[in-house]
Amino acid sequence: MERYKELFERYLKKTVPEKQPENLYRPVEYILENGGKRIRPLLVLLASEGYGVSAEKALPAAAALEIFHNFTLLHDDIMDRAELRRGKPSVHKKWNTDIAILSGDAMVFLAQQQLETYPPEIFARLQSLFNQTALAICEGQQADMDFEQREVVSEAEYLEMIRKKTAVLLGTALRFGAVLAGKPLREQQEIEKAGIYLGLIFQMKDDWLDTFGDERFGKKTGGDILDKKKTVLYVKLLEKLSGRDKEEFIRLYHGEDLPAAEKINRVKNWFRQYNIERELGQDIEKMFNEALQITDKLSLNARAKNQLVELFRRLNERKV
Amino acid sequence: MERYKELFERYLKKTVPEKQPENLYRPVEYILENGGKRIRPLLVLLASEGYGVSAEKALPAAAALEIFHNFTLLHDDIMDRAELRRGKPSVHKKWNTDIAILSGDAMVFLAQQQLETYPPEIFARLQSLFNQTALAICEGQQADMDFEQREVVSEAEYLEMIRKKTAVLLGTALRFGAVLAGKPLREQQEIEKAGIYLGLIFQMKDDWLDTFGDERFGKKTGGDILDKKKTVLYVKLLEKLSGRDKEEFIRLYHGEDLPAAEKINRVKNWFRQYNIERELGQDIEKMFNEALQITDKLSLNARAKNQLVELFRRLNERKV
């Protein structure tokens, strides 16, 4: 995986355009050079090599998804009023909102230009998946913003939001490898599913750790509770509550009057009392096992399969 | 041309998605139903039929450009703080800026999905032109915003900005027809040039009419001057001025102290004194003639050629 990362960083660096006007292209360089785990391009390269396509050949497809992903971050940061991104000022803070909107827009087309390097049949297939994925992400982001205005969100709605906002792009990244290798539709759909599990498990685990993470591993817990975030724990509990209990919990979760530590403790007690911690742990374990089963049946070579299993394992075992 | 408009409106109406979430897709419907002249789709249909491709077959390509164009309007309205669009509240006013950013983003992918209806070779060609055009438009919009922060802009910079921001999309619309008909590259480039002239002439004429338009035809003149807009008249004059004259004119144009009518008159006198009105008239005439020459050599059928010439003539003769 380290080799993929190096390959990708080198490719991205020489790909990012140093064009005019500066106020359009400098923010693009800025956000792309700001790093990140590059998980989406890594998945493209992993799947491609696993199906016998060289990583070199897959680099433009990998870059397309990474540039696109950073476009979504750029626009999301405006909508979320986020002042920082990976520890540095977000684009709309460092420049301004107009520039962040427009350079984000430009990134979509820069991303898509990467796909032009493939033969028309492949280009058309990738672009079509790209469009579908991008629309799902827009729908997920809008659902997320809509949920902020509501007190009650069902678990099904929450999972669908997470699937669209986060998971489908990971699925598409793996699927890109299958498309580049000319794999049949069935194989494409299966590896896409594996990627979607990757995203779902990541998010569930993230929610779980934020509340029940082990502080011995340096995890500061309770942030989501203080931010009143509608996590999977929150939506799961609400599914079980009704009447006065529901009202009481909602009042507690969205209230401002308790000291932080006290509020965190009380909320965690509700979760524990209704078995949410354990239930979510079981959900994650179930998804993890399904993902491993799907992965096992893929026609990837052994090396790629192991890499993918290793990714799932690391996600499932992470402590922070 | 009326037939094209009807065909297009009917197609667009059944194409606009009534999907969820509402806050993502309602603004898309809203801006697309708000009309406009539909000049870009008309150009696609005109060129397609002129090259022997049925308008019906060209409708998705036409819709792609119209949806894309409305995406640019949606995002531009945020950047320009425009409260109205075609007499109705702009999307960021009727909803909010976050929704306007995100539904604009979604429109890009909805536009592109239209192109998926074509065979891969055509789809890939159209998508590639689409990417190139979209990037040029982002560059033009950024240049326009940059110019607002500067007092002096050269005529060449101004023309390049207008070419990118407005003209290339008209060129691409005509070129789409040539691509759908499988015309050779040379023919594609020539009809694209004709479309670019269409855009340039439109903008020059617009600037000219705003200052020198005949008020008998109901044109209210002087608006650009009061808005301190850097029109082609402004940049042309600055090219001729230096030293104290330049300073004096800039002070007059960007000053706030004169009554409106007085300021308009004084600025117009500067333009007249330096022959800007006549020079611009000659520039437009020259572009008009070049456009007619290019059009004459195209391999479009006579009917489409006449429609295109008629468009140029109407632009050139318009009084309001």
Side-chain angles (χ1 to χ4, degrees):
Chain A
M1 299 292 276
E2 262 316 299
R3 182 174 65 91
Y4 291 152
K5 184 129 199 290
E6 271 169 44
L7 262 177
F8 181 72
E9 295 293 350
R10 211 176 319 137
Y11 178 79
L12 191 67
K13 211 174 172 61
K14 75 166 208 270
T15 296
V16 176
E18 283 182 35
K19 290 203 296 181
Q20 296 293 326
E22 218 170 279
N23 279 335
L24 187 66
Y25 290 107
R26 267 301 295 151
V28 177
E29 277 181 75
Y30 175 77
I31 193 166
L32 287 177
E33 282 170 0
N34 196 6
K37 290 190 294 291
R38 312 293 195 199
I39 178 77
R40 292 149 199 86
L42 294 193
L43 291 177
V44 177
L45 301 183
L46 181 159
S48 299
E49 286 215 332
Y51 289 126
V53 173
S54 76
E56 281 75 10
K57 218 182 136 188
L59 282 168
L65 294 190
E66 183 66 9
I67 299 169
F68 171 79
H69 171 61
N70 279 274
F71 139 75
T72 66
L73 299 180
L74 217 163
H75 278 192
D76 284 2
D77 282 348
I78 306 173
M79 298 181 228
D80 301 342
R81 281 93 183 133
E83 310 216 339
L84 293 174
R85 164 66 57 188
R86 299 177 194 128
K88 286 170 70 180
S90 51
V91 169
H92 69 103
K93 278 289 156 195
K94 192 173 161 77
W95 283 271
N96 60 49
T97 300
D98 294 345
I99 285 178
I101 293 173
L102 196 63
S103 54
D105 292 345
M107 288 178 87
V108 172
F109 307 106
L110 291 170
Q112 296 178 163
Q113 281 189 329
Q114 291 293 318
L115 303 180
E116 293 176 19
T117 51
Y118 298 104
E121 292 278 350
I122 303 276
F123 174 17
R125 196 71 210 101
L126 296 177
Q127 181 66 49
S128 166
L129 290 170
F130 190 100
N131 291 340
Q132 194 185 326
T133 304
L135 271 177
I137 291 170
C138 291
E139 291 169 7
Q141 169 68 7
Q142 186 59 55
D144 197 11
M145 295 198 296
D146 288 344
F147 291 173
E148 277 173 34
Q149 311 301 318
R150 290 164 49 183
E151 276 176 352
V152 179
V153 172
S154 75
E155 189 181 354
E157 285 176 313
Y158 175 84
L159 286 176
E160 181 63 3
M161 183 275 283
I162 286 304
R163 194 184 67 81
K164 286 179 168 178
K165 185 172 165 164
T166 310
V168 289
L169 188 55
L170 303 182
T172 301
L174 287 175
R175 184 166 179 172
F176 265 27
V179 172
L180 289 175
K183 289 285 153 189
L185 195 61
R186 173 87 194 148
E187 179 78 13
Q188 290 181 31
Q189 288 166 336
E190 287 304 304
I191 196 168
E192 182 178 16
K193 263 191 221 161
I196 288 174
Y197 274 121
L198 213 51
L200 291 175
I201 294 172
F202 176 84
Q203 191 60 52
M204 307 289 100
K205 197 80 189 183
D206 215 51
D207 286 2
W208 193 91
L209 284 169
D210 195 273
T211 298
F212 296 108
D214 196 326
E215 308 212 348
R216 280 175 306 172
F217 293 94
K219 181 82 193 174
K220 187 99 197 66
T221 60
D224 286 349
I225 295 173
L226 297 178
D227 290 344
K228 306 171 189 170
K229 265 186 71 177
K230 292 184 192 73
T231 63
V232 67
L233 300 160
Y234 176 88
V235 301
K236 266 182 171 308
L237 178 59
L238 280 195
E239 296 264 335
K240 300 198 173 194
L241 299 178
S242 61
R244 241 193 291 171
D245 279 352
K246 196 165 178 171
E247 274 172 44
E248 193 187 328
F249 175 73
I250 289 176
R251 214 177 314 120
L252 165 66
Y253 203 80
H254 296 279
E256 302 273 7
D257 36 344
L258 291 175
E262 168 81 7
K263 177 173 176 180
I264 293 172
N265 252 331
R266 287 212 202 166
V267 170
K268 280 167 85 164
N269 280 338
W270 277 86
F271 290 149
R272 286 215 183 81
Q273 194 189 328
Y274 283 86
N275 231 351
I276 305 296
E277 178 182 5
R278 239 187 81 205
E279 238 179 57
L280 178 58
Q282 287 164 348
D283 287 356
I284 293 175
E285 197 62 26
K286 202 174 150 229
M287 287 198 278
F288 175 66
N289 287 326
E290 280 169 25
L292 289 187
Q293 270 180 35
I294 289 175
T295 303
D296 189 54
K297 288 191 199 121
L298 293 173
S299 70
L300 286 171
N301 66 25
R303 186 156 159 278
K305 223 177 254 192
N306 286 338
Q307 287 172 324
L308 199 50
V309 170
E310 182 57 28
L311 273 179
F312 279 114
R313 205 149 274 163
R314 257 193 276 159
L315 266 191
N316 196 38
E317 285 163 14
R318 82 192 176 104
K319 299 273 187 277
V320 287
Chain B
M1 298 291 275
E2 262 317 298
R3 182 174 65 92
Y4 291 153
K5 184 130 200 288
E6 271 170 42
L7 262 176
F8 182 73
E9 295 294 349
R10 211 176 319 137
Y11 178 79
L12 192 66
K13 210 172 173 61
K14 73 166 208 269
T15 297
V16 176
E18 283 181 36
K19 292 202 296 182
Q20 296 292 327
E22 219 170 279
N23 279 336
L24 186 66
Y25 289 107
R26 266 303 294 151
V28 177
E29 277 181 73
Y30 175 77
I31 193 167
L32 287 177
E33 282 170 358
N34 195 4
K37 290 190 292 292
R38 312 294 195 197
I39 178 77
R40 292 150 199 86
L42 295 192
L43 291 176
V44 176
L45 301 183
L46 181 159
S48 298
E49 287 216 331
Y51 289 125
V53 173
S54 75
E56 281 75 11
K57 218 181 135 187
L59 282 168
L65 294 191
E66 183 65 9
I67 298 170
F68 170 79
H69 172 60
N70 279 273
F71 141 74
T72 66
L73 299 181
L74 217 163
H75 278 192
D76 284 3
D77 282 348
I78 306 173
M79 298 180 227
D80 300 341
R81 282 92 182 131
E83 309 216 338
L84 294 173
R85 164 67 56 188
R86 301 177 193 129
K88 287 170 71 180
S90 51
V91 169
H92 68 103
K93 277 290 155 190
K94 192 174 162 74
W95 283 271
N96 60 49
T97 299
D98 293 346
I99 285 178
I101 293 173
L102 196 64
S103 54
D105 292 345
M107 287 178 88
V108 172
F109 307 106
L110 291 170
Q112 296 178 162
Q113 281 188 329
Q114 291 293 316
L115 303 180
E116 293 177 17
T117 51
Y118 298 104
E121 292 276 349
I122 302 277
F123 174 18
R125 196 71 208 101
L126 295 177
Q127 182 66 49
S128 165
L129 290 170
F130 190 101
N131 291 340
Q132 194 185 323
T133 304
L135 271 177
I137 290 170
C138 291
E139 291 169 9
Q141 168 68 5
Q142 186 60 54
D144 197 12
M145 296 199 296
D146 287 344
F147 291 173
E148 276 173 34
Q149 311 300 320
R150 289 163 50 182
E151 277 176 352
V152 179
V153 172
S154 75
E155 189 181 351
E157 286 177 314
Y158 175 84
L159 286 175
E160 181 64 3
M161 182 274 282
I162 287 303
R163 193 185 68 80
K164 288 180 168 177
K165 184 170 166 166
T166 310
V168 290
L169 188 54
L170 303 183
T172 300
L174 287 175
R175 186 167 179 171
F176 264 27
V179 171
L180 289 175
K183 290 286 154 187
L185 194 61
R186 174 85 194 150
E187 179 77 11
Q188 290 181 30
Q189 288 165 336
E190 288 304 305
I191 197 168
E192 181 178 19
K193 262 191 222 163
I196 288 173
Y197 273 122
L198 213 52
L200 291 176
I201 294 172
F202 176 83
Q203 190 61 51
M204 306 290 100
K205 198 77 188 184
D206 215 52
D207 285 2
W208 193 90
L209 284 168
D210 194 273
T211 298
F212 296 109
D214 195 327
E215 307 212 347
R216 281 174 305 171
F217 294 93
K219 181 83 193 175
K220 187 101 197 67
T221 59
D224 286 349
I225 295 172
L226 297 178
D227 290 344
K228 306 170 190 174
K229 264 186 71 178
K230 291 184 192 76
T231 63
V232 66
L233 299 161
Y234 176 89
V235 300
K236 265 181 173 307
L237 178 60
L238 280 195
E239 296 264 335
K240 299 197 174 197
L241 299 178
S242 61
R244 238 190 293 166
D245 279 353
K246 195 167 180 171
E247 275 172 42
E248 194 188 327
F249 175 74
I250 289 177
R251 213 177 315 120
L252 166 66
Y253 203 82
H254 296 278
E256 302 273 7
D257 35 346
L258 292 175
E262 168 81 8
K263 178 173 175 180
I264 294 173
N265 251 331
R266 286 210 204 170
V267 170
K268 279 167 87 164
N269 279 339
W270 277 86
F271 289 150
R272 286 214 183 85
Q273 194 188 329
Y274 282 86
N275 231 351
I276 305 297
E277 178 183 5
R278 240 186 81 205
E279 237 179 58
L280 178 59
Q282 287 165 348
D283 287 357
I284 293 175
E285 198 63 24
K286 202 175 148 225
M287 286 197 278
F288 174 65
N289 288 325
E290 281 169 26
L292 290 187
Q293 271 181 33
I294 289 174
T295 304
D296 189 52
K297 287 189 199 124
L298 293 173
S299 70
L300 286 170
N301 66 24
R303 188 157 157 276
K305 222 178 254 193
N306 285 338
Q307 286 172 324
L308 199 50
V309 170
E310 183 55 28
L311 273 180
F312 280 115
R313 206 150 272 162
R314 258 194 274 159
L315 265 191
N316 197 38
E317 285 163 15
R318 81 192 177 109
K319 299 274 187 279
V320 288

